[in-house]
Amino acid sequence: MAANFWTSSHYKQLFDQEDVDVVFPLDKEKGITLEDFKLIKMHMASYISKLAQHVKVRQRVVATAVTYMRRVYTRKSMSEYDPRLVAPTCLYLASKAEESTVQAKLLVFYIRKIYSDEKYRYEIKDILEMEMKILEALNYYLVVYHPYRSLSQLLQDASLNDISMTQLTWGVVNDTYKMDLALVHPPHLIALACIYIASVLREKDTTAWFEELRVDMNVVKNISMEILDFYENHRMIPDERFNAALNKLAFKP
């Protein structure tokens, strides 16, 4: 593990938003729009989270798995890398990287339990083969830093570490993985944006504390606006909308 975020492979792999919002030609040919692309990634983040609850792994494993999945699609098309296989494989790989190993056969068991749709049904060998492809797509960079550690320290520093604020900010951080924020911004800035949102919702005056931090408040506020925009426009999207986007990829059973 890298000792410091700023010298880590994670920092070196941060993207500009416009580089994340790229639909590959193969996917475009199938009619996948940028909105479809975002929706499919959001749906797969939820899939990873649902699967993780069944196999009982920590939230950190989920966050790492979702980050891997989102990184893969900055380099590979969904037409080549079926999201319905990439999602559980990223959870499998993240469980190993985060030292909470889950057996592939357990994932296959729960996938069958959760989804009756044949398109989700993959075998152990499929997960193991996709694992090698994902490792290659990630250039074998598996280190991921998350906002959780910064969040705990920052809440304590701001004297906001009561149960109400802690639960609210952790919930907001969890929701950030439904977006591409982890690919674009350093984790401590995402943590600060979540604190900023929570402090407004809980009517806590954090102005002086933020000023002392000497961070770029424009960036913090921009991240906050992205999160709030997600809550307003994307939180409740019917499964039919996700399925319509996924069906454009039309993988053979």
Side-chain angles (χ1 to χ4, degrees):
M1 283 289 182
N4 181 292
F5 171 74
W6 302 108
T7 58
S8 71
S9 58
H10 183 156
Y11 172 62
K12 294 178 184 122
Q13 289 188 94
L14 288 180
F15 296 87
D16 291 328
Q17 188 65 52
E18 55 265 30
D19 295 325
V20 174
D21 291 341
V22 174
V23 180
F24 282 87
L26 272 175
D27 295 339
K28 275 185 183 169
E29 283 170 22
K30 293 185 175 180
I32 296 288
T33 63
L34 180 57
E35 182 65 11
D36 291 332
F37 184 48
K38 289 180 175 182
L39 280 176
I40 292 169
K41 289 190 288 183
M42 197 187 305
H43 185 55
M44 290 304 138
S46 298
Y47 176 19
I48 287 169
S49 188
K50 193 186 292 186
L51 199 49
Q53 285 170 4
H54 284 278
V55 297
K56 295 180 169 53
V57 291
R58 298 170 296 147
Q59 174 58 29
R60 184 185 173 86
V61 178
V62 176
T64 298
V66 172
T67 305
Y68 288 168
M69 180 267 294
R70 290 181 178 280
R71 281 182 184 173
V72 165
Y73 291 122
T74 61
R75 299 187 176 100
K76 302 292 178 182
S77 72
M78 290 182 170
S79 298
E80 296 170 288
Y81 285 56
D82 183 356
R84 286 163 287 219
L85 176 56
V86 168
T89 307
C90 284
L91 184 60
Y92 176 63
L93 182 57
S95 76
K96 294 202 277 189
E98 297 291 353
E99 297 175 358
S100 302
T101 306
V102 173
Q103 290 186 330
K105 68 179 177 185
L106 194 62
L107 288 172
V108 168
F109 172 78
Y110 280 113
I111 290 166
R112 287 178 177 169
K113 208 168 179 181
I114 298 168
Y115 289 104
S116 55
D117 187 344
E118 285 295 323
K119 289 174 184 165
Y120 283 87
R121 300 208 163 189
Y122 282 101
E123 301 299 328
I124 294 169
K125 68 175 177 59
D126 299 317
I127 289 176
L128 298 181
E129 282 172 15
M130 181 54 80
E131 180 189 20
M132 296 314 296
K133 290 182 179 178
I134 287 172
L135 278 167
E136 206 172 305
L138 296 173
N139 290 328
Y140 299 90
Y141 290 133
L142 301 180
V143 173
V144 181
Y145 282 77
H146 297 291
Y148 300 107
R149 184 187 290 181
S150 302
L151 186 67
S152 301
Q153 294 166 344
L154 289 164
L155 284 171
Q156 198 167 355
D157 184 64
S159 300
L160 294 172
N161 54 337
D162 57 88
I163 289 173
S164 170
M165 278 294 286
T166 302
Q167 287 181 340
L168 179 57
T169 49
W170 272 71
V172 179
V173 170
N174 290 347
D175 286 338
T176 64
Y177 288 93
K178 295 172 185 170
M179 297 162 265
D180 287 311
L181 292 174
L183 301 189
V184 179
H185 300 287
H188 75 284
L189 291 179
I190 296 172
L192 285 171
C194 295
I195 292 172
Y196 182 73
I197 290 171
S199 64
V200 172
L201 292 173
R202 290 284 186 265
E203 298 181 342
K204 308 263 189 187
D205 186 3
T206 52
T207 312
W209 180 73
F210 272 108
E211 281 174 1
E212 283 174 22
L213 288 177
R214 294 182 183 173
V215 293
D216 187 339
M217 279 308 291
N218 286 329
V219 176
V220 172
K221 286 177 181 175
N222 286 342
I223 298 170
S224 304
M225 291 305 293
E226 272 193 71
I227 297 167
L228 293 171
D229 179 67
F230 166 79
Y231 284 144
E232 198 173 317
N233 298 309
H234 291 102
R235 205 167 191 185
M236 299 302 292
I237 292 176
D239 283 346
E240 294 75 37
R241 182 70 188 83
F242 292 123
N243 292 333
L246 267 172
N247 287 340
K248 290 182 183 180
L249 292 170
F251 285 93
K252 292 183 176 67

